Amino acid sequence: MHIVLFRIFMLCLTFGFVTPDTKSLDDRIFALKTAPRDNDLIIVNMEFFEECILSSPRNYSFVLLVGTKGASCDHCKPAIAALSNVARQWNRLHPNSLEIFFGFVDFMYNLELVRLLQVKTAPFVLFFGRHASIGDCDRTSHPQIVATPALIAAWISKVSDINIEAAVSRDFSILLPIACVLLFCAVLKKFAWLRNTKFIASLCLTFICSMCSGLMWVVINSMPFVALQDGKVVYFYPENRAQFGCECLLIVLFYAMISGGLIFLTTKCSKFRKNTFMYSIRVLVGVGVAVLGFNQMAEYYTLKAGYLPFHFSFL
């Protein structure tokens, strides 16, 4: 009788108090998010592969490129560049997404893992779905596919049912002839506004504010204007390492408020010194705009860094 009661008690403990290991999945996701990266690709070794790619439960997919950065593989460099392009574009459009990850394993230093994957050529791309194992993962080593960003993105989209895109570089070559034509017209005095000092000063100030806002970085890295995350429009990149196009416009606006307020103070207020009321109003407007722009810049800094650069805020 005591033995039966003891067994019933143990069964109750087993089914009532033992819960699934939910921390293991959280640990894997944390490892994926904090893993060292090179060109937006997670550096994978045998230990990481067993812990984050083979283990279950797994609610994410993983794209793994087998290659090397050594001189022994001429086709590996374009393949690494292609998958890095796709991974970078995915991270831009889907910041902090846990749906799919991209990694790279150097076969020169991970021969045991390469044997486990049964890979005999390089570069080689493997796709591990949420429930895929080594035996049933999708594979491709087609030279044109693995070395072309658009083609490897299309292949991943096909095998994963996830919309994967490749980044496309912008071409601003048309700006050079336009600038030459405008400069030529300015020399010939065809357009009077091109020789207006206020217009040139405003143009230079706009250019400086645009460059200071990170516009060049956004253009070089083909960052989107905004992003869609979990059905919501994201205007700010949640980390301080990157920014969207919308953020550039906001920073330009803040710079314009600061510089515009100071310019207004120095050029428009002095004319009304004899009229105390109008002079005071204009001074308040100029100071208010400049201070508001500076404060909003500090608020933006807080969104990116997580703390204010000073101990109080005006808003």
Side-chain angles (χ1 to χ4, degrees):
M1 183 67 180
H2 294 289
I3 297 176
V4 174
L5 292 176
F6 177 76
R7 290 179 177 177
I8 294 174
F9 177 72
M10 292 302 296
L11 287 174
C12 291
L13 285 178
T14 302
F15 292 102
F17 296 98
V18 177
T19 58
D21 186 10
T22 57
K23 291 185 178 180
S24 60
L25 178 59
D26 295 336
D27 292 340
R28 293 188 190 96
I29 292 176
F30 179 78
L32 287 165
K33 295 175 67 175
T34 58
R37 283 172 166 78
D38 188 8
N39 293 327
D40 292 281
L41 298 179
I42 298 175
I43 301 175
V44 178
N45 53 24
M46 188 65 177
E47 180 181 356
F48 183 89
F49 180 81
E50 292 178 346
E51 177 184 352
C52 297
I53 302 178
L54 279 187
S55 302
S56 60
R58 189 175 70 239
N59 63 349
Y60 52 84
S61 302
F62 200 96
V63 180
L64 182 63
L65 170 64
V66 179
T68 184
K69 294 186 177 181
S72 58
C73 182
D74 296 332
H75 300 287
C76 290
K77 291 183 178 180
I80 295 172
L83 191 60
S84 297
N85 176 294
V86 174
R88 190 178 305 114
Q89 183 70 358
W90 173 263
N91 293 331
R92 292 168 186 161
L93 298 177
H94 308 276
N96 291 336
S97 173
L98 305 177
E99 191 173 5
I100 188 171
F101 295 90
F102 302 84
F104 167 74
V105 55
D106 195 323
F107 65 78
M108 295 288 290
Y109 306 101
N110 298 275
L111 293 177
E112 183 181 357
L113 176 55
V114 173
R115 295 192 192 99
L116 179 65
L117 296 172
Q118 298 180 354
V119 173
K120 298 181 180 180
T121 60
F124 205 98
V125 178
L126 303 94
F127 173 78
F128 295 88
R130 296 185 177 184
H131 306 289
S133 60
I134 294 180
D136 58 356
C137 66
D138 295 281
R139 302 163 176 250
T140 182
S141 59
H142 193 286
Q144 190 173 2
I145 293 179
V146 298
T148 308
L151 295 180
I152 190 63
W155 180 82
I156 298 172
S157 299
K158 181 180 178 181
V159 299
S160 65
D161 292 329
I162 303 174
N163 185 22
I164 305 294
E165 301 176 5
V168 180
S169 301
R170 296 183 176 93
D171 187 7
F172 293 92
S173 302
I174 189 65
L175 294 180
L176 181 60
I178 292 176
C180 292
V181 171
L182 291 176
L183 182 61
F184 182 74
C185 293
V187 172
L188 296 179
K189 300 182 180 180
K190 294 293 184 180
F191 300 122
W193 50 271
L194 286 175
R195 304 177 68 88
N196 186 287
T197 55
K198 291 184 178 180
F199 172 77
I200 297 299
S202 301
L203 189 64
C204 292
L205 182 61
T206 302
F207 177 78
I208 293 171
C209 292
S210 300
M211 293 300 103
C212 291
S213 70
L215 178 62
M216 181 180 292
W217 187 92
V218 169
V219 172
I220 291 174
N221 291 275
S222 302
M223 295 296 292
F225 186 76
V226 294
L228 190 64
Q229 184 72 20
D230 298 329
K232 298 180 180 179
V233 178
V234 180
Y235 299 95
F236 291 90
Y237 202 94
E239 299 178 7
N240 58 4
R241 62 181 180 180
Q243 65 184 47
F244 296 135
C246 179
E247 297 180 65
C248 289
L249 294 182
L250 290 175
I251 297 173
V252 169
L253 176 61
F254 300 153
Y255 277 136
M257 292 173 66
I258 297 172
S259 56
L262 296 177
I263 292 173
F264 184 81
L265 279 173
T266 56
T267 60
K268 300 297 182 181
C269 294
S270 58
K271 300 178 182 179
F272 293 86
R273 287 185 180 275
K274 296 181 180 180
N275 189 335
T276 306
F277 177 76
M278 291 300 300
Y279 180 73
S280 302
I281 293 297
R282 286 175 175 261
V283 168
L284 289 175
V285 170
V287 172
V289 171
V291 170
L292 181 61
F294 180 81
N295 184 76
Q296 293 306 110
M297 183 68 75
E299 294 287 350
Y300 171 78
Y301 181 93
T302 305
L303 290 174
K304 304 295 285 186
Y307 58 89
L308 270 173
F310 42 80
H311 298 295
F312 61 90
S313 172
F314 293 106
L315 296 180

